[in-house]
Amino acid sequence: MQSPLPKVEEVVISRSVDDVGGNLVSVLVATINPRRASHVLKMLSERLPLKAYNLEHLKRVRRVPLAVGVPQVTFTEDAMENHSSCTSMNTSCGGSDDDHSGDGVGDGVGDGGGGGGGDSGRSSKIKPRYERKLPSYKFHLQVILCPNKDYSFVQADVAELLQMPSPPLLGDLLLLEVARVASETRQEFELWNPRWPTIFRPSAVARERESGGTHSVEDLQVIGRYLQQALQDEQDVQHMAVDEGWESANPSVDTVDNVHDVYGTVDPTSNRMRSYSGAVIANPESDTIVCRSADYYAQRHDLRSDRPNPNPDPNPNPDPNPNLLLQHPLMKQAAMRCIHAVGAVVCVQREQEMTEATSYYGPTSNDSSTGPSQAMTKAVAALNDNQYLCSGLDMYCVHEPDLMTAMALVHSRIHRVYFLEMASDGALSSHFHVHQLRQLNHRYRAFRCELPQPDNP
């Protein structure tokens, strides 16, 4: 009979995608001739960049068929045609349209007297530039100028861009409502893109979520096993705290410090024993545990006792508190201890890689007596090749990480976080939602889990 599976719910805080609210912004749009698109777009990017209005997620131009309601006035179209024709004729012949009417210049018809004295057969094939038929388009191009509220500051630039003697009136421009922020999900993209083409760059987390990254039965079994390991790690750390004399064996409610969190409320879970919570970091590719939070204390003990000191102090002072190093305030959270332990393992992996790389050139100065312990060697084997911090690794912890720990997980490039209990100072589900802030350069997935209750006999 299959054992009960844990319940896993992803922590996704999605914003409202309704058109009302602060998701739309009004912008002014002008219609230009496609023949001048390259020049106009270049000028717009220099004079009125979309980045200056925090609209770089929008495309600057869109194609509109002529059948769709395009304004009667198409800016720069008539001016472009007249300017192009006059410039070509004046350059070629030094005259205007009236000067060339009926004179047969370059038309290759009749006796060839008006073609400039060239070969009449060649003149009949090659038409002068001002007589060539310009390509016809079945669409117009619309470009975003600027937000409606900023038009009064850029009227002169708009007039120059559109080659108009005076800035166009607001009634001659289109006023459209477009997406104010970039699309984070495909639902937002499909809703806002019809208003105006947008650039959709989903994050790696969003792509994984869209690709059907749900948990299978095997995944849930692995999650349950690692969460049980986190609970066991919590017991080991608390027993270690009692053995080291950091806490009493049976702390009562009166002796436990109920800490007021940053919101002014009393958090019964933020007591001293919560400092000795449990967490594990596992590699999902090899399905092995890289480290536990208790490994941090083991590494600290190894550094203090097992490794010889190359420069011993001839007059050592007695340490009044030998366990002070093990009670560092930054290591009160189990996740912080795991991150520190993984960093130590990665450093050992780098040392081994450097040793293997330099072994060709001769023996190294490393002493085998000071090499990594058996536990450290096992942890190195659980990492991927060229491991970078916690990249690609998953964390399983008892309590929801707080703000400091959540940001540390961002910097360490964690892949996923699974936790059992929420906390009033939590920063994933309770507050802030650090794991999916788009302003950060890394995001990870967070899951709240619930282990099945054991059957009562």
Side-chain angles (χ1 to χ4, degrees), residues 78-335:
D78 298 333
M80 175 60 190
E81 292 179 353
N82 296 334
H83 176 73
S84 176
S85 300
C86 293
T87 303
S88 301
M89 289 186 292
N90 292 335
T91 303
S92 302
C93 307
S96 61
D97 290 340
D98 296 337
D99 297 334
H100 298 284
S101 58
D103 60 358
V105 176
D107 55 4
V109 180
D111 57 1
D119 184 10
S120 60
R122 181 179 179 183
S123 300
S124 63
K125 297 180 181 178
I126 302 178
K127 293 183 179 182
R129 182 178 179 182
Y130 64 87
E131 286 190 359
R132 298 176 192 172
K133 185 178 180 181
L134 295 175
S136 60
Y137 297 92
K138 296 182 179 179
F139 59 87
H140 281 287
L141 295 180
Q142 292 180 344
V143 295
I144 294 178
L145 297 178
C146 64
N148 183 28
K149 60 184 180 62
D150 298 320
Y151 181 64
S152 59
F153 304 102
V154 297
Q155 289 184 356
D157 293 330
V158 171
E160 182 179 354
L161 290 171
L162 301 181
Q163 293 186 351
M164 300 182 65
S166 61
L169 301 177
L170 289 178
D172 297 330
L173 298 173
L174 287 178
L175 183 62
L176 299 180
E177 288 188 334
V178 297
R180 182 182 61 86
V181 293
S183 302
E184 296 184 357
T185 62
R186 187 161 297 277
Q187 179 186 6
E188 294 178 351
F189 174 73
E190 294 176 353
L191 179 65
W192 295 337
N193 191 67
R195 291 181 171 273
W196 189 273
T198 62
I199 300 173
F200 180 46
R201 296 191 180 98
S203 61
V205 172
R207 290 195 299 268
E208 179 181 350
R209 190 180 295 118
E210 290 181 0
S211 62
T214 57
H215 297 93
S216 61
V217 176
E218 292 77 10
D219 296 335
L220 294 177
Q221 293 175 351
V222 172
I223 292 172
R225 184 173 75 251
Y226 285 144
L227 290 175
Q228 293 291 348
Q229 291 285 342
L231 292 173
Q232 180 63 41
D233 178 75
E234 181 181 42
Q235 296 179 6
D236 295 341
V237 173
Q238 292 182 2
H239 291 163
M240 185 182 299
V242 174
D243 295 339
E244 296 287 345
W246 304 336
E247 291 290 344
S248 59
N250 296 311
S252 62
V253 178
D254 297 334
T255 60
V256 172
D257 296 333
N258 288 325
V259 181
H260 291 263
D261 61 12
V262 295
Y263 307 101
T265 59
V266 176
D267 182 11
T269 63
S270 296
N271 50 47
R272 287 181 295 177
M273 290 304 292
R274 184 192 167 189
S275 300
Y276 311 115
S277 179
V280 299
I281 289 183
N283 187 349
E285 294 186 6
S286 59
D287 193 14
T288 54
I289 293 180
V290 178
C291 68
R292 307 182 307 155
S293 69
D295 295 340
Y296 165 77
Y297 298 110
Q299 293 174 4
R300 297 294 94 187
H301 277 293
D302 292 343
L303 291 177
R304 287 194 309 156
S305 57
D306 295 345
R307 300 214 173 198
N309 188 359
N311 299 314
D313 189 357
N315 299 316
N317 294 325
D319 190 356
N321 188 359
N323 296 322
L324 184 62
L325 183 63
L326 304 181
Q327 301 183 45
H328 195 284
L330 293 181
M331 300 303 163
K332 292 298 183 182
Q333 291 286 341

Side-chain angles (χ1 to χ4, degrees), residues 48-69:
L48 306 175
L50 290 178
K51 188 175 182 180
Y53 308 110
N54 295 324
L55 297 177
E56 61 269 20
H57 58 278
L58 299 176
K59 294 185 179 180
R60 193 79 203 223
V61 62
R62 73 173 179 180
R63 180 183 297 186
V64 180
L66 295 179
V68 180

Side-chain angles (χ1 to χ4, degrees), residues 395 397 401 409 414-419 428 444-447:
M395 172 173 285
C397 48
L409 292 171
I414 198 71
H415 182 208
R416 290 174 296 197
V417 175
Y418 299 86
F419 62 93
L428 299 184
Y444 54 90
R445 303 179 71 180
F447 301 87

Side-chain angles (χ1 to χ4, degrees), residues 334-388:
M336 294 294 295
R337 297 194 295 270
C338 283
I339 294 174
H340 191 283
V342 171
V345 176
V346 172
C347 289
V348 173
Q349 184 189 53
R350 293 288 187 271
E351 293 177 359
Q352 291 181 355
E353 292 175 354
M354 293 179 61
T355 302
E356 294 175 358
T358 57
S359 60
Y360 174 80
Y361 300 97
T364 62
S365 59
N366 292 337
D367 188 1
S368 59
S369 61
T370 62
S373 61
Q374 183 178 1
M376 183 68 72
T377 304
K378 183 178 180 181
V380 172
L383 294 177
N384 301 321
D385 296 336
N386 299 321
Q387 179 72 36
Y388 176 74

